[in-house]
Amino acid sequence: MRTDVFISGGGIGGLTLALKLAKCNIDVTVIERLPGPTPVYKGELLQPKSLKIFDELGLLDRIKENGHEIDELNLVEIDKNSGSVDESNMKYNVVPSKYSYSLMIHHEKLKGIIREAASEYPSFHYRSNSSCKGYSGGKAIVEDRKEKKEELYESSFYIGAEGRVSVTREEMGIKKEENEYNHHFLTVTFPRPPSFTEGKIISTFDRFLGLFPLPNDEVRSVYLIPAGEYKELRKKPIEYFHELYIELCPEMEGYVNQIDNWKTVQLMVPIAYHTDSYTKGNKALIGDAVHTVHPMAGEGMNMAIQDADVLGELLSDMYAQGKLNAENLKWFPHVRRERVTNQMKLSHLSALAYSFPYRSVGKLRKMSLKRIEQDPILHFKQMLNISGLGMWQDSLKDRMIQGGLLPKRNTPLTQGEKEVRLFTEREDYPWKWKEQLV
Ligand SMILES: Cc1cc2nc3c(=O)[nH]c(=O)nc-3n(C[C@H](O)[C@H](O)[C@H](O)COP(=O)(O)OP(=O)(O)OC[C@H]3O[C@@H](n4cnc5c(N)ncnc54)[C@H](O)[C@@H]3O)c2cc1C
């Protein structure tokens, strides 16, 4: 078989890339191991940059119809001793953009929307229940899992979008070093009160519950547990699980109780890695195949979408200009590596803030969150970096303000000072300028 771009893995990253290419009439084939939708929980929070990308792909209206918009994240810190409750609100609208909100959508629904849009283009080919087994003589080996038959795919470019376990990464000889955490998460979706419409993270010094509303009055939840505790927890009656949630968020009483057994409650083990390389010859890696983040900042799926956008735009330009030299792929990590590193740092720091069950850490976190909320520069930086629309790293002064060592600032940033921090088209796609492709 022959196709211009071969994509191993039909997750969010692979499908977004395929849609971008198919829209430019590039012959693209996606190989997906699974036969159909899976009940396994994955990323559901779309950050502003991803919404912008899907708007440019003509999908935003459909995504909005099937999603739930979130304007702010409420971070609630409860002191069990004194009974005091502190709330900090992080608002997306501090970032000046048409896309200053996030959106929750079921993962499989989003995949379905992208796949359906791509299927309108004759140059898009999708094979489910088929697995990329590796490479032979520079060609991809694809196995039809039902027929148990193998065939070779010959392509100009091969993209590994298989998630954490990537045969393309293996073929490229690219290694990863995993960073593990001292905690795991329980995650489950259940009905919510209709009035519960914003993202909420509730913590005590030793506990954490994240609640993110989905459409149709559902809510996706994550509950932090010490690593290794899952097996013991599952031996307890499900009512014990209900109580853990209700204790932190009494609003969920009568809702979380609708989970009637442990089967739907999944274990999520956070890990993080960032490989040394994104490309080798005519192969490239996107999404979880090249970087995985702690889920705390809700970035994993967004990073896969943002990779797909940059690589898709690059390949489309290479085909449009007839410049298919694989050397041009270097522009992909040139744009993405620094942004990914920044988002990984953000996710890692957020994870650390909730990793240590000590009262002193809880107190520090409470102050730090209040400072981010009240200091206009910290607030803007936090939401800008999360949004993916721009990047502005913390300075030593920021850290000192956050830690209470310096007073917080009061002067708000002007619109101009904020706008200059947003990524420009030239920063997103730098090869477009001065005919840089070879
Ligand atoms: C439980 C959980 C919760 C998460 N929550 C969030 C969240 O709230 N927000 C967020 O942004 N991110 C979240 N993430 C992370 C997010 O889901 C991933 O970062 C994102 O799905 C990565 O997309 P991807 O396309 O790179 O990989 P994947 O989504 O993993 O897709 C890879 C696809 O490739 C297929 N595949 C694998 N090997 C082969 C092969 N050899 N041949 C053919 N096909 C193959 C797989 O079946 C899969 O469909 C979560 C992840 C998990 C596991």
Side-chain angles (χ1 to χ4, degrees):
M1 294 288 282
R2 163 86 216 168
T3 186
D4 286 334
V5 180
F6 173 92
I7 302 176
S8 173
I12 291 289
L15 288 171
T16 306
L17 174 62
L19 172 59
K20 270 203 85 129
L21 299 178
K23 274 174 110 65
C24 296
N25 297 321
I26 296 167
D27 195 89
V28 54
T29 300
V30 176
I31 301 297
E32 170 52 48
R33 191 179 53 190
L34 299 174
T38 148
V40 174
Y41 291 116
K42 281 205 169 178
E44 290 173 328
L45 184 65
L46 285 172
Q47 300 285 7
K49 178 72 174 184
S50 305
L51 296 171
K52 180 173 187 283
I53 291 168
F54 285 130
D55 197 13
E56 285 158 3
L57 286 170
L59 300 186
L60 190 58
D61 288 344
R62 280 220 63 202
I63 287 175
K64 279 182 160 186
E65 278 163 27
N66 290 281
H68 175 90
E69 288 178 35
I70 292 182
D71 297 317
E72 59 183 61
L73 303 172
N74 308 138
L75 306 169
V76 181
E77 195 74 40
I78 302 172
D79 185 327
K80 282 196 276 190
N81 275 355
S82 67
S84 73
V85 177
D86 275 274
E87 190 168 325
S88 313
N89 298 317
M90 305 295 161
K91 296 186 192 317
Y92 279 99
N93 69 6
V94 297
V95 180
S97 164
K98 194 173 151 190
Y99 311 98
S100 53
Y101 58 94
S102 59
L103 183 140
M104 285 290 290
I105 181 166
H106 283 292
H107 193 84
E108 288 296 336
K109 183 79 209 174
L110 179 61
K111 277 167 61 179
I113 291 173
I114 305 169
R115 202 171 52 238
E116 200 181 296
S119 302
E120 286 172 19
Y121 298 89
S123 62
F124 171 78
H125 314 284
Y126 179 80
R127 279 183 61 173
S128 61
N129 212 6
S130 299
S131 201
C132 175
K133 305 296 281 181
Y135 292 82
S136 170
K139 297 177 189 168
I141 309 162
V142 173
E143 184 200 49
D144 184 312
R145 299 183 76 200
K146 194 168 165 213
E147 305 286 330
K148 299 275 173 241
K149 265 196 205 144
E150 283 186 0
E151 62 184 315
L152 292 176
Y153 270 76
E154 188 177 5
S155 305
S156 302
F157 298 97
Y158 298 89
I159 313 300
E162 303 107 335
R164 293 179 182 182
V165 182
S166 165
V167 288
T168 306
R169 185 180 63 225
E170 227 168 82
E171 169 72 12
M172 292 161 83
I174 293 173
K175 302 266 173 285
K176 61 182 170 72
E177 237 173 73
E178 292 187 0
N179 185 8
E180 289 181 15
Y181 292 86
N182 65 355
H183 54 266
H184 294 164
F185 291 97
L186 299 178
T187 185
V188 62
T189 292
F190 59 90
R192 65 171 160 90
S195 58
F196 190 94
T197 53
E198 298 297 346
K200 200 169 200 166
I201 288 176
I202 307 155
S203 46
T204 64
F205 79 94
D206 62 347
R207 294 211 271 133
F208 167 101
L209 172 65
L211 294 160
F212 297 88
L214 277 159
N216 303 323
D217 292 342
E218 285 188 313
V219 64
R220 166 81 180 276
S221 67
V222 284
Y223 185 85
L224 185 143
I225 55 169
E229 210 175 74
Y230 179 62
K231 269 193 185 159
E232 283 308 306
L233 263 178
R234 278 198 65 143
K235 289 182 188 156
K236 298 187 195 272
I238 191 70
E239 288 75 19
Y240 180 83
F241 175 78
H242 302 156
E243 280 312 310
L244 293 175
Y245 272 46
I246 293 165
E247 213 182 307
L248 287 180
C249 187
E251 250 179 299
M252 291 303 140
E253 178 144 29
Y255 294 93
V256 67
N257 312 65
Q258 293 179 46
I259 301 169
D260 55 14
N261 65 65
W262 282 99
K263 273 192 197 136
T264 51
V265 182
Q266 290 176 15
L267 177 71
M268 187 164 114
V269 178
I271 54 164
Y273 59 77
H274 194 180
T275 62
D276 287 342
S277 188
Y278 286 42
T279 62
K280 190 169 179 190
N282 63 349
K283 295 189 180 63
L285 301 171
I286 62 170
D288 275 13
V290 69
H291 43 62
T292 301
V293 282
H294 188 283
M296 192 66 89
E299 292 293 352
M301 176 171 75
N302 295 281
M303 285 159 63
I305 293 164
Q306 290 158 29
D307 284 351
D309 176 60
V310 173
L311 183 60
E313 192 72 23
L314 177 60
L315 284 168
S316 300
D317 284 346
M318 286 164 63
Y319 273 91
Q321 296 176 29
K323 293 180 172 171
L324 298 185
N325 189 334
E327 256 207 34
N328 291 317
L329 294 179
K330 70 174 184 214
W331 288 104
F332 167 49
H334 174 87
V335 176
R336 289 297 298 151
R337 178 172 285 285
E338 193 190 1
R339 298 181 187 187
V340 166
T341 304
N342 189 48
Q343 282 173 324
M344 289 193 67
K345 195 165 81 186
L346 200 78
S347 301
H348 183 65
L349 288 177
S350 311
L352 289 186
Y354 290 97
S355 291
F356 303 101
Y358 305 119
R359 283 184 198 281
S360 51
V361 176
K363 274 191 185 148
L364 193 65
R365 183 173 62 227
K366 186 165 79 179
M367 183 190 53
S368 165
L369 291 174
K370 267 277 160 242
R371 289 268 160 143
I372 296 176
E373 182 193 33
Q374 291 167 356
D375 180 285
I377 299 178
L378 287 180
H379 197 153
F380 174 69
K381 281 188 175 185
Q382 177 77 5
M383 297 317 284
L384 177 77
N385 289 323
I386 284 180
S387 75
L389 292 170
M391 189 168 76
W392 190 4
Q393 300 195 13
D394 284 345
S395 63
L396 181 63
K397 185 174 176 186
D398 293 327
R399 291 273 155 81
M400 290 175 84
I401 293 172
Q402 215 176 321
L405 299 171
L406 286 176
K408 59 182 190 288
R409 294 158 286 207
N410 294 314
T411 319
L413 290 163
T414 63
Q415 187 81 354
E417 284 171 322
K418 288 181 175 181
E419 277 171 0
V420 80
R421 300 289 171 178
L422 300 176
F423 292 133
T424 60
E425 209 187 327
R426 192 169 181 158
E427 287 168 315
D428 281 348
Y429 316 125
W431 62 86
K432 284 182 189 283
W433 275 261
K434 293 194 191 158
E435 297 190 7
Q436 308 249 29
L437 298 182
V438 293

